[in-house]
Amino acid sequence: MKNNELETKSELQEKSLFDKAVGRRSFLQYAGAGAAGIALVAAGCSKDRGYDNPTMNGATLDFKTDIGVLNYAYALEQLEAAFYIKVASAPPAAFTAAQKAYFQDVQFHEIAHREFFKKALSTAAIGSLEVDFSSIDFTSASGVLAAAQSFEDLGVSAYNGAGVRITTTDYLVLAGKIVSVEARHAAWVRDQISNGSFADLNSLTALGANNSAGLDGALTPDKVLAIAGKYVKTKINVINL
C-alpha cells in the first residue's frame, strides 16, 4: 500500500500546511541558520513527524543535556502551532483583515519551528502532546487575542529562561533567532489589544521582565510548564532541572 493511502485527512491537512510553510518562508532561510543549521536538520530527518507520534503515557524532559532543552522548546512550539492552526482555520467573525492575515501567516512560523525541532531531535524527540484549549473562546476576537498574547509572552520568557542551559553554541544561536521572532509576534498582538503597548515591559514583571533595566521576561522551565499546563492534557515530567 502506498504511503499516501495511509495518511488520514487531518495528517494531509497538516502536511499541506507544512509544505506551505516551507515554500512561503523557509525556516532556515529566515532564521539564517547557515551550514551548521542545515546539517542539523539533515542529520535529524526521519519519516516520523511529531504530530504522527502521539505521546500516550506522558513525556519526560530530561535537562541533563541539550536534548532536554530542545524537547522543551519542541513541546512549547507544538502548543503554539496547534493554537495558531485552529485560529487560522476558523478566525473569529470580528477579526479585521489584518488580524486574519496575521494568524494565517504566523501559523506557518510556528509549524516551521515545530518541525525544525522535530527533525533536529530525530528519535530523541518526545511525541505529540494532546492539547486542551477548552478555556479559550475561539469565536471571540478579544479572547483569541488575549490567548495569543499569553502564549507569545510565555514563549519569550521560556526561551530566555532556558538559554542558560544550552551548552552547544549552534543551538543557542538558533534559539536566539527563534525567540526574536516570537517577540515580534508578542509585540504585534499586544498592539492589537492596546495600541502602543507593544514595548510595555512593566506588564511582564510576573514573567521576570525588568523595565528599568530594559530586560524582557525569563522563567525557568518548571514555572513555564506550570503555566502552560492549563493547555496541555499530556503529563509532562521534568527531571535534572
Side-chain angles (χ1 to χ4, degrees), residues 47-114:
K47 291 175 64 178
D48 173 49
R49 298 192 300 271
Y51 46 88
D52 296 336
N53 180 28
T55 299
M56 305 303 293
N57 298 313
T60 297
L61 302 179
D62 184 353
F63 285 87
K64 187 176 182 179
T65 67
D66 283 353
I67 295 300
V69 182
L70 296 183
N71 263 316
Y72 170 56
Y74 176 47
L76 295 175
E77 295 297 350
Q78 285 191 52
L79 181 61
E80 285 194 284
F83 169 72
Y84 276 98
I85 289 170
K86 185 171 179 64
V87 176
S89 67
F95 260 13
T96 65
Q99 289 167 345
K100 290 179 181 179
Y102 166 83
F103 279 87
Q104 286 290 334
D105 195 43
V106 173
Q107 71 172 323
F108 299 132
H109 292 180
E110 303 301 354
I111 292 171
H113 293 171
R114 182 195 67 191

Side-chain angles (χ1 to χ4, degrees), residues 153-176:
D153 286 342
L154 185 63
V156 171
S157 67
Y159 274 99
N160 288 342
V164 69
R165 301 174 184 277
I166 300 176
T167 61
T168 304
T169 302
D170 286 343
Y171 293 162
L172 185 59
V173 171
L174 289 169

Side-chain angles (χ1 to χ4, degrees), residues 26-236:
S26 167
F27 171 71
L28 289 176
Q29 181 179 21
Y30 72 70
I38 294 171
L40 179 62
V41 172
C45 286
S46 69
K47 291 175 64 178
D48 173 49
R49 298 192 300 271
Y51 46 88
D52 296 336
N53 180 28
T55 299
M56 305 303 293
N57 298 313
T60 297
L61 302 179
D62 184 353
F63 285 87
K64 187 176 182 179
T65 67
D66 283 353
I67 295 300
V69 182
L70 296 183
N71 263 316
Y72 170 56
Y74 176 47
L76 295 175
E77 295 297 350
Q78 285 191 52
L79 181 61
E80 285 194 284
F83 169 72
Y84 276 98
I85 289 170
K86 185 171 179 64
V87 176
S89 67
F95 260 13
T96 65
Q99 289 167 345
K100 290 179 181 179
Y102 166 83
F103 279 87
Q104 286 290 334
D105 195 43
V106 173
Q107 71 172 323
F108 299 132
H109 292 180
E110 303 301 354
I111 292 171
H113 293 171
R114 182 195 67 191
E115 292 302 289
F116 172 78
F117 284 113
K118 172 62 181 176
K119 291 176 181 177
L121 286 159
S122 187
T123 57
I126 59 173
S128 292
L129 302 182
E130 185 178 1
V131 299
D132 178 6
F133 294 141
S134 59
S135 62
I136 302 172
D137 182 359
F138 284 93
T139 66
S140 165
S142 60
V144 168
L145 288 172
Q149 177 183 317
S150 296
F151 284 133
E152 297 295 354
D153 286 342
L154 185 63
V156 171
S157 67
Y159 274 99
N160 288 342
V164 69
R165 301 174 184 277
I166 300 176
T167 61
T168 304
T169 302
D170 286 343
Y171 293 162
L172 185 59
V173 171
L174 289 169
K177 291 182 177 181
I178 292 176
V179 71
S180 61
V181 173
E182 301 292 356
R184 291 174 187 271
H185 297 169
W188 191 92
V189 171
R190 284 179 154 277
D191 216 39
Q192 294 299 299
I193 296 173
S194 179
N195 186 38
S197 66
F198 59 91
D200 180 15
L201 292 178
N202 282 320
S203 63
L204 295 170
T205 54
L207 299 179
N210 184 333
N211 185 55
S212 63
L215 299 176
D216 211 331
L219 292 179
T220 55
D222 55 325
K223 292 180 179 179
V224 170
L225 292 171
I227 297 172
K230 175 182 179 180
Y231 305 103
V232 181
K233 290 184 180 180
T234 306
K235 179 177 175 55
I236 299 178

